[in-house]
């Protein structure tokens, strides 16, 4: 869909940029790579995709479920400009978001830890989908505000 | 051959589609064509000749065809 949005902006000679957030696990779905090919073919430098690279999907780690690596090389081979950042560093994110691609679409691989800052959630696969209890919410909020 | 069949003039439905689409596109600049490789066999060659900027060919990629077509009007 983001490719359609970016193409539409270009036809209108608009400077509007298009941002899309992708999970890492969902990149196992082929539709992403169809879109990646189209975006490169049409030189959609106004398009920036952020991959939340937290290494976890519904049932297990991404690399156990279906290997994603070398992920940066995959995007690069599809013609995209690839940038890797610490997804918890807001300054790095802001800096990279401010810079559109020169001639090609941009893929920002944001390395993250799911549940960051909450000791009992960090990097644990069950928190991909689990709903916290009221007590767990309370304790998580305490940790985050500490 | 029946009289009814003899009286019927065969008409290419793809040609009707293309002619109608071009007529509509002349009146409404929001109309674009998104195509999966089959520019010729979808009879969109004339559309592309008249509206080169409004013809997107995603290649043989039907999932992307749907994605582009769904995303486009949200920003148009």
């Amino acid at each position: 869909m983001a490719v359609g949005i970016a193409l539409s902006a270009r036809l209108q000679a608009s400077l509007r940029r298009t941002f899309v957030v992708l999970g890492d696990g969902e990149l196992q779905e082929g539709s992403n790579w169809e879109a990646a090919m189209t975006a490169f073919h049409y030189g959609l430098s106004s398009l920036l995709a952020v991959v939340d690279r937290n290494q976890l999907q519904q049932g297990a780690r991404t690399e156990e479920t279906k290997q994603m690596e070398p992920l940066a090389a995959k995007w690069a081979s599809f013609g995209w400009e690839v940038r890797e950042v610490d997804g918890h560093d807001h300054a790095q994110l802001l800096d990279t978001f401010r810079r559109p691609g020169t001639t090609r679409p941009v893929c920002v691989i944001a390395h993250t830890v799911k549940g960051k800052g909450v000791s009992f959630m960090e990097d644990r696969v069950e928190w991909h989908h689990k709903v916290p209890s009221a007590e767990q919410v309370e304790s998580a909020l305490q940790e985050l505000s500490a | 051959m029946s009289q009814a069949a003899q009286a019927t003039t065969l008409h290419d439905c793809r040609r009707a589609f293309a002619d109608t689409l071009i007529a509509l596109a002349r009146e409404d600049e929001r109309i674009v064509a998104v195509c999966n490789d089959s520019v010729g066999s979808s009879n969109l060659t004339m559309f592309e000749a008249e509206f080169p900027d409004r013809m997107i060919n995603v290649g043989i990629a039907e999932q992307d065809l749907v994605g582009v077509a769904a995303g486009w009007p949200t920003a148009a």
Side-chain angles (χ1 to χ4, degrees), chain B residues 36-47:
Chain B
N36 56 338
D37 183 40
S38 52
V39 179
S41 53
S42 298
N43 223 331
L44 288 167
T45 313
M46 297 292 285
F47 184 97

Side-chain angles (χ1 to χ4, degrees), chain A residues 121-135:
Chain A
M121 288 183 172
E122 277 192 1
D123 199 35
R124 293 178 65 106
V125 70
E126 65 265 32
W127 289 104
H128 183 86
H129 53 85
K130 202 168 159 181
V131 179
S133 66
E135 293 76 24

Side-chain angles (χ1 to χ4, degrees), chain A residues 8 13-15 29 38 46 62 86-87 93 95 100 103 106 119 124 134-135 141:
Chain A
S8 172
S14 162
L15 294 175
E29 190 86 52
T38 305
S46 65
T62 57
D86 172 354
L93 286 171
D95 174 64
T103 56
V106 177
S119 56
R124 293 178 65 106
E135 293 76 24
L141 287 173

